[in-house]
Amino acid sequence: MANISILIIPPGETPYPAEIPHTLDSLQSIVGGDIEVLYPFDDPVGVVCNEHGKLFGQPLNRALRDDSGRIYDIIAGTFFIIGLGIDDFESIPDDMLEKYEKLFHNPETFMKINGKLHTIPYDPTTSE
């Protein structure tokens, strides 16, 4: 069984790289259930999350934004970034790992103000 490198993004925490077995069970155990793969980026990567994360009340994690910076979706629960090969998942390349660690580095809190959704990024390593 081969291993695969991914970038895990837990709610309320900074992302971290991991090497896991390249099996469906391993992918599902990270997100806590059935997987769903999103393709919001032009890079050869996928965002793997729990298909029912919002429905099952998993904590809101990070926002996905369009090209103008507007939020169009929020991922609930732990998710990860994985590389995309021609026919299957593959390890995330080092440059993509660094890019997406930076993009999702700070956890976010979500607030609705006057009918508009806002995010407040924060640094989980600082104490209050």
Side-chain angles (χ1 to χ4, degrees), residues 25-95:
D25 286 343
S26 294
L27 304 178
Q28 290 175 328
S29 70
I30 293 169
V31 302
D34 293 335
I35 63 169
E36 176 180 16
V37 186
L38 310 172
Y39 306 97
F41 307 113
D42 291 333
D43 296 320
V45 297
V47 173
V48 181
C49 60
N50 186 310
E51 182 178 25
H52 306 291
K54 290 177 194 161
L55 181 66
F56 293 159
Q58 290 186 338
L60 297 180
N61 190 339
R62 304 293 203 285
L64 295 177
R65 294 171 171 79
D66 64 18
D67 291 338
S68 35
R70 282 178 278 201
I71 296 171
Y72 67 85
D73 200 1
I74 299 172
I75 300 173
T78 297
F79 68 97
F80 59 92
I81 309 294
I82 196 165
L84 300 176
I86 293 173
D87 295 324
D88 198 2
F89 296 130
E90 61 184 32
S91 289
I92 183 172
D94 289 342
D95 60 331

Side-chain angles (χ1 to χ4, degrees), residues 63-126:
L64 295 177
R65 294 171 171 79
D66 64 18
D67 291 338
S68 35
R70 282 178 278 201
I71 296 171
Y72 67 85
D73 200 1
I74 299 172
I75 300 173
T78 297
F79 68 97
F80 59 92
I81 309 294
I82 196 165
L84 300 176
I86 293 173
D87 295 324
D88 198 2
F89 296 130
E90 61 184 32
S91 289
I92 183 172
D94 289 342
D95 60 331
M96 294 292 110
L97 186 127
E98 185 177 318
K99 176 180 180 177
Y100 290 101
E101 193 289 328
K102 191 177 209 177
L103 177 67
F104 292 115
H105 183 76
N106 288 330
E108 296 174 313
T109 295
F110 301 90
M111 299 178 76
K112 195 170 192 178
I113 302 172
N114 294 328
K116 186 174 179 187
L117 187 62
H118 297 271
T119 61
I120 301 168
Y122 63 93
D123 182 351
T125 62
T126 61

